[in-house]
Amino acid sequence: MEQYHGEADERFGAVADAFARNFDAFPELGAAVTVFVEGRKVVDLWGGVADERTGRAWEQDTTVPVFSVAKGLVSLSAHLLAQDGRLDLDAPVSRYWPEFAQHGKETITTRMVLGHRAGVPALDRVLSFEEIAAWTPVIRAIEEQKPLWEPGTAYEYHGHVFGFLVGEVIRRITGLTPGACFRRAVGDPLGLRAWIGLPADESDRVARLVEAEGRPGMPGPEHLLTRIVTMNGALVFPGLEEPHGWNDAELHAMELPGAGAVGSASGLAGLYAAAVTGIEGRERLLAADTVTDAVRELSSGEGWLGFDAGARWGSGFLLDSPSFRPMLGARSFGNDGAGGQFAFGDDEFGVGFAYVANRMIGHGDARANRLIAAVRECVGG
């Protein structure tokens, strides 16, 4: 018996086969995959259980917390502002946010932040959950922060700071927080099921996350990696059931732009399809030159902490990374999430892709990679 619902064009049967095999190989709990090609949805599959406690089935409109896939929504918004001439990615952040130019941050550009090269991957100030949700205390802490290295000379994943820093630049230009800006510019006009700051009336459609057995733990609380991921412990990771954990509707509702998006596979794939080809009869969101700018490699190899996960970074997006997250080619760009979720676009192949799941295995795990390999086979990449 098939373990999924939905449709896949005959040409994309290999993707349906890979999706079904994932349920046996890992095993999946609940998951979905959507693929657009040249603006047309060619794969839309879902299956399994959205809430293990109740047995609630995964449905077509089910959403799930997708962690750092959020960075794609923020980065797309920044590139749209740049494309419209409202944001110069290579100008100092202080052009838009004068209070930022303190403590050695005067030369930091938005592009340095997008490439994880700004030197502010974590904050010294310890903030409460309530302060993080209030936005302004985080912005004040960023203003007070000293870079850990000379900006532009090294890179390390900027975690939550990425979203707040780029998000405040967006807010200074538009008057809107990044989640609201994304919905006004892209999400609402296209009817995309993807949010940073989930509306209350969407909370009953969210899948409940569970951890896969054997997931590696985090280092101690003082380790910089842990501080990056948890904002100095205010956001316990993965912390699914703890106060303000990642299954908490209060966390879903707040704007946590570096890692707090909630979306469906069709919403996220539709976002990238809209970016690279256009959907719903509309022109593509990102011009070819904008994509060329976004996919220019800024960072790769060993980061400031001494780790090399195999990731390659452009301006705000993960690039085709054969040893970490292989995509379709040189013009592929996207972002993945801590639970294994992934979404990307590619204007050479005209593809928008997204995979989401509620059993958390990890960044770069094989489930999405197997689906992408099947897409590559189908489109001749």
Side-chain angles (χ1 to χ4, degrees):
M1 182 176 70
E2 289 185 340
Q3 300 186 62
Y4 60 82
H5 306 278
E7 296 181 339
D9 284 11
E10 184 176 355
R11 179 187 168 195
F12 290 86
V15 181
D17 292 342
F19 186 67
R21 287 195 296 269
N22 275 356
F23 276 85
D24 296 323
F26 289 97
E28 293 280 31
L29 179 59
V33 61
T34 303
V35 183
F36 285 78
V37 176
E38 300 300 341
R40 187 172 70 87
K41 191 182 293 184
V42 297
V43 176
D44 194 24
L45 303 171
W46 63 92
V49 176
D51 189 333
E52 196 173 34
R53 303 170 306 169
T54 64
R56 172 166 58 96
W58 197 292
E59 299 179 348
Q60 186 177 23
D61 65 353
T62 295
T63 56
V64 65
V66 292
F67 298 95
S68 286
V69 173
K71 291 179 174 65
L73 282 63
V74 174
S75 298
L76 176 73
S77 300
H79 281 284
L80 286 173
L81 289 172
Q83 186 171 266
D84 290 345
R86 301 176 69 187
L87 169 59
D88 181 347
L89 298 178
D90 297 306
V93 166
S94 59
R95 174 183 293 184
Y96 311 99
W97 175 5
E99 302 90 337
F100 180 79
Q102 304 179 53
H103 309 299
K105 301 192 301 299
E106 293 82 358
T107 64
I108 291 174
T109 66
T110 303
R111 195 182 302 278
M112 287 181 191
V113 185
L114 292 171
H116 303 274
R117 306 188 68 83
V120 286
L123 302 175
D124 292 335
R125 184 175 167 189
V126 177
L127 299 159
S128 67
F129 181 90
E130 291 73 19
E131 287 176 313
I132 293 169
W135 187 271
T136 299
V138 182
I139 301 311
R140 297 288 88 83
I142 292 173
E143 291 170 358
E144 297 163 4
Q145 183 67 38
K146 295 180 180 179
L148 297 185
W149 61 81
E150 182 181 347
T153 64
Y155 97 96
E156 187 54 69
Y157 191 63
H158 274 48
H160 292 287
V161 175
F162 177 106
F164 282 103
L165 211 166
V166 179
E168 180 66 6
V169 172
I170 290 170
R171 192 185 73 82
R172 295 289 176 124
I173 293 171
T174 68
L176 299 170
T177 53
C181 179
F182 168 76
R183 289 305 306 180
R184 178 177 290 186
V186 180
D188 288 341
L190 294 176
L192 300 176
R193 294 187 56 72
W195 294 268
I196 300 172
L198 188 71
D201 61 2
E202 289 287 342
S203 61
D204 61 351
R205 296 178 178 86
V206 180
R208 190 172 184 83
L209 297 167
V210 301
E211 271 202 273
E213 292 183 4
R215 247 180 80 85
M218 296 295 296
E222 300 303 317
H223 194 285
L224 181 60
L225 178 61
T226 302
R227 292 176 51 220
I228 290 170
V229 171
T230 68
M231 293 197 77
N232 294 328
L235 304 169
V236 179
F237 182 81
L240 302 182
E241 310 308 331
E242 288 149 11
H244 306 308
W246 293 92
N247 281 323
D248 185 351
E250 188 175 354
L251 187 146
H252 301 160
M254 67 188 281
E255 286 212 24
L256 192 63
V262 176
S264 69
S266 60
L268 294 166
L271 168 63
Y272 280 96
V276 300
T277 65
I279 60 172
E280 306 291 342
R282 298 171 182 248
E283 293 185 2
R284 59 188 286 179
L285 295 175
L286 298 182
D289 287 348
T290 302
V291 173
T292 298
D293 184 58
V295 301
R296 178 169 54 87
E297 182 183 300
L298 300 181
S299 302
S300 63
E302 189 174 290
W304 193 75
L305 281 171
F307 303 133
D308 181 0
R312 299 172 56 242
W313 297 100
S315 293
F317 298 103
L318 184 67
L319 307 181
D320 185 53
S321 305
S323 65
F324 174 69
R325 187 62 88 186
M327 299 181 230
L328 298 181
R331 294 186 68 83
S332 296
F333 63 99
N335 268 286
D336 78 337
Q341 309 93 337
F342 187 58
F344 79 94
D346 188 301
D347 65 352
E348 179 181 356
F349 293 96
V351 166
F353 169 96
Y355 160 81
V356 298
N358 59 343
R359 189 185 298 281
M360 295 178 64
I361 295 179
H363 277 290
D365 76 67
R367 293 171 295 174
N369 290 350
R370 289 158 61 121
L371 294 165
I372 294 166
V375 172
R376 191 182 306 113
E377 173 188 333
C378 295
V379 300

